[in-house]
Amino acid sequence: MSAEWQGSPTESEEFRHLDQTIASFTRNIPRAFQDPVGTAVDPLLYTAHILPHVAMIQLHDPHAKVDSPNDHSAMQMLAATRAILDLIYKLSGTTYDLLYLDHSCSFGWFLAGVAIIRFLKAKIHARDEDG
């Protein structure tokens, strides 16, 4: 990014490239590896599924306007949060011992929790202003 850049960081070419690279990684996971919680939990694959969503949340979190339903960063952040929650739900339906997961998974869960609470607070605040 040049020193003369005057717009929002989210409008920069570099930011869009990062956003697209993370999204592309997630979209291009081969079909054989798309379900980390199939008949058995693959802890490495589970981690590989969580980390791009963590990256997406961290990329967009400083710029997200969670009270704006059309804000691109907020939409990307919410989609990544929901994807992590889906992975949590899938894992909770098994008897897999979570001790075997990489520690970065618990960070991803934490980050998704923080993000969803941020969105919930914004909705509650918006409802309080309307009522």
Side-chain angles (χ1 to χ4, degrees), residues 43-119:
L44 189 57
L45 189 56
Y46 190 86
T47 304
H49 275 262
I50 269 196
L51 289 180
H53 301 300
V54 168
M56 191 66 82
I57 291 170
Q58 288 187 311
L59 178 66
H60 287 282
D61 186 34
H63 314 288
K65 296 175 184 80
V66 296
D67 55 344
S68 175
N70 297 324
D71 181 62
H72 177 71
S73 285
M75 290 187 304
Q76 292 292 86
M77 198 173 138
L78 187 58
T81 300
R82 287 178 173 158
I84 291 175
L85 291 175
D86 286 343
L87 288 166
I88 293 170
Y89 295 142
K90 286 180 180 180
L91 190 61
S92 69
T94 70
T95 58
Y96 186 75
D97 190 350
L98 301 180
L99 290 174
Y100 297 115
L101 286 176
D102 189 80
H103 299 296
S104 60
C105 293
S106 58
F107 176 71
W109 301 337
F110 167 77
L111 206 59
V114 169
I116 203 73
I117 288 170
R118 186 171 166 203
F119 280 96

